Amino acid sequence: IPGRLLDLSVHGTLLRADSGRVFRLRDQIKIHLPVADLLTPEHGEFLRLSAKVRRLHISGDRVGVSFEFMSERQTTVLTKYVMELVEM
C-alpha cells in the first residue's frame, strides 16, 4: 500500500495511507524504508521492516505502528538511519 512516513523512531512509526485504505488494529504491515540516500551502499537501497498497527486515528488512514521481529542488523541500520535524519 503506498503511504507516507509522518514520524519515525527506532521503536515504530506514524504512517498515512495514500490510497484511501483504512487500517485496522493489529494489521501486519511491511515497510520498505529507502536508506540509500543517507547510508553507505553496504546497507542496501531499502531497509525492509515488519510492523503491527498499535494505534489508529479515527479516520483509519493514519496509524501508529511498532516494529516487529527485527534482527540485529535491521536494528543497527534503523538506528544509523534515524541518527542521520537527526543530524540533517
Side-chain angles (χ1 to χ4, degrees), residues 39-81:
L39 300 179
T40 57
E42 66 195 32
H43 297 297
E45 289 187 40
F46 292 93
L47 176 61
R48 289 164 180 82
L49 300 168
S50 175
K52 185 177 276 193
V53 173
R54 300 292 182 185
R55 301 273 188 253
L56 188 64
H57 189 268
I58 196 162
S59 65
D61 67 338
R62 293 183 186 177
V63 292
V65 302
S66 64
F67 299 127
E68 302 273 318
F69 312 113
M70 289 179 59
S71 69
E72 186 175 335
R73 181 195 167 282
Q74 287 173 311
T75 303
T76 301
V77 172
L78 180 61
T79 302
K80 288 180 182 182
Y81 184 77

Side-chain angles (χ1 to χ4, degrees), residues 11-22:
H11 302 288
T13 187
L14 180 63
L15 299 172
R16 183 183 74 211
D18 283 344
S19 61
R21 163 111 152 85
V22 176

